[in-house]
Every structure is written in structure tokens, then in C-alpha cells.
């Protein structure tokens, strides 16, 4: 499995995912929304292509299609939107960066955190996935609280 640093992808959308894939020479990329991009085939997410390639991989591996969902663990996810005065202040704020780094340490590799400015609203979005919802909520809330204190409305 290839892991891309979420700091490379600060914006959403197929184009941004495509750029990050190109920069890191990654063949498969996607977003939480379900968009999956296969760089060698198309420049945008395509559900039919995704299904056909998944089916091809299952058949090639000799796997039972009905059991394929057991190969991936889906963690609980929380998203907190923090209203801010100026979302451009997020990138340079040292205290917010420290809070995000602390959250990563607390997750200890068992989850993930993505903090980014909304592309359309005066918001900073804090998304955390962790094995347990309580852990995801605590982690996300700590970061959201720091964002609120530092640059919130």
C-alpha cells in the first residue's frame, strides 16, 4: 500500500487528487466521496471503471466477490467544521500546527487526521478517523478548539 502525505492534498476534487498522484507517481488515488482515479486510464473518478477493475482484481486473485468487503476495515469518522474569520490564516498558525501534530501522535498510526480550509466557505474542516468513535471525537474536538481559539469567528 502506498501512503500519500495528506499535506500534499489541501484541496479537494479530482483535479487536486490527480496533481498529487502525478507529483508522487501514484497510479490509484481517490477521495472519501468515493471518487477513485486510475491515472493510467482516466483523469477523473469513474464508478464503472472502478467496479470493472475491482471485479478483475477479485477474479485474478481467485477471491469470492461476496467476501471482498472483509479485506478493508472502515473506521468511524467525524467531521467538524470551524467557522473562521479568514481561512488563509490557518496555514501559518503555529498553535494549530502543533495541535494537529499532537493529534497525530495521539492516533499513533491507528487513524488519520485531515485538516484543511474549505474551498467555498469561511471554514476549516477537521476530519478524524480512528478505530473508536470516542477517540475520533476527542481528537477532532481538541484540534477544532484550538482553531476556534486562534482564528475562529
Amino acid at each position: 500500500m502506498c501512503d500519500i502525505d495528506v499535506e500534499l492534498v489541501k484541496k479537494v476534487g479530482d483535479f487536486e487528487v490527480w496533481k498529487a498522484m502525478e507529483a508522487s507517481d501514484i497510479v490509484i488515488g481517490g477521495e472519501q466521496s468515493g471518487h477513485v482515479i486510475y491515472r493510467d486510464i482516466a483523469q477523473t473518478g469513474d464508478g464503472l471503471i472502478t467496479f470493472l477493475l475491482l471485479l478483475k482484481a477479485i477474479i485474478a486473485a481467485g477471491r469470492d466477490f461476496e467476501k471482498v468487503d472483509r479485506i478493508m476495515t472502515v473506521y468511524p469518522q467525524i467531521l467538524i467544521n470551524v467557522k473562521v474569520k479568514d481561512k488563509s490564516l490557518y496555514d501559518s498558525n503555529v498553535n494549530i500546527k502543533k495541535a494537529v501534530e499532537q493529534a497525530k501522535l495521539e492516533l499513533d498510526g491507528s487513524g488519520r487526521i485531515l485538516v484543511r480550509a474549505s474551498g467555498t466557505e469561511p471554514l476549516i474542516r477537521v476530519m478524524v478517523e480512528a478505530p473508536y468513535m470516542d477517540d475520533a471525537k476527542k481528537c477532532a474536538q481538541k484540534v477544532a478548539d484550538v482553531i476556534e481559539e486562534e482564528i475562529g469567528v
Side-chain angles (χ1 to χ4, degrees):
M1 182 172 134
C2 182
D3 190 20
I4 187 167
D5 185 349
V6 294
E7 292 301 314
L8 289 175
V9 187
K10 291 190 177 192
K11 297 179 181 176
V12 295
D14 286 356
F15 180 69
E16 297 299 329
V17 172
W18 176 265
K19 286 192 322 190
M21 291 169 62
E22 284 279 292
S24 300
D25 197 29
I26 294 172
V27 179
I28 300 173
E31 296 184 280
Q32 180 66 27
S33 64
H35 290 198
V36 179
I37 301 170
Y38 298 89
R39 199 179 83 205
D40 294 342
I41 297 173
Q43 292 184 4
T44 61
D46 185 303
L48 186 55
I49 290 172
T50 300
F51 174 74
L52 292 172
L53 290 173
L54 176 64
L55 189 58
K56 180 181 175 183
I58 291 168
I59 291 168
R63 301 283 243 175
D64 184 349
F65 187 76
E66 286 145 6
K67 296 178 183 172
V68 75
D69 66 335
R70 296 183 193 152
I71 64 173
M72 184 177 104
T73 302
V74 179
Y75 286 159
Q77 181 184 93
I78 181 125
L79 174 66
I80 299 175
N81 292 317
V82 182
K83 290 185 180 183
V84 295
K85 295 175 268 196
D86 180 352
K87 61 188 177 185
S88 69
L89 299 174
Y90 156 70
D91 279 334
S92 60
N93 189 289
V94 174
N95 290 331
I96 295 173
K97 285 182 181 181
K98 285 180 185 176
V100 172
E101 287 306 313
Q102 181 60 39
K104 287 179 182 177
L105 288 173
E106 288 178 21
L107 290 170
D108 193 30
S110 67
R112 69 182 181 124
I113 181 168
L114 174 62
V115 181
R116 67 172 186 83
S118 168
T120 57
E121 301 173 90
L123 301 172
I124 302 297
R125 302 188 191 281
V126 180
M127 187 282 300
V128 176
E129 290 177 339
Y132 303 100
M133 182 56 94
D134 285 347
D135 294 338
K137 285 180 181 178
K138 286 178 197 170
C139 190
Q141 193 60 59
K142 285 180 186 177
V143 173
D145 288 347
V146 172
I147 294 169
E148 178 68 35
E149 288 171 22
E150 295 290 317
I151 61 172
V153 174

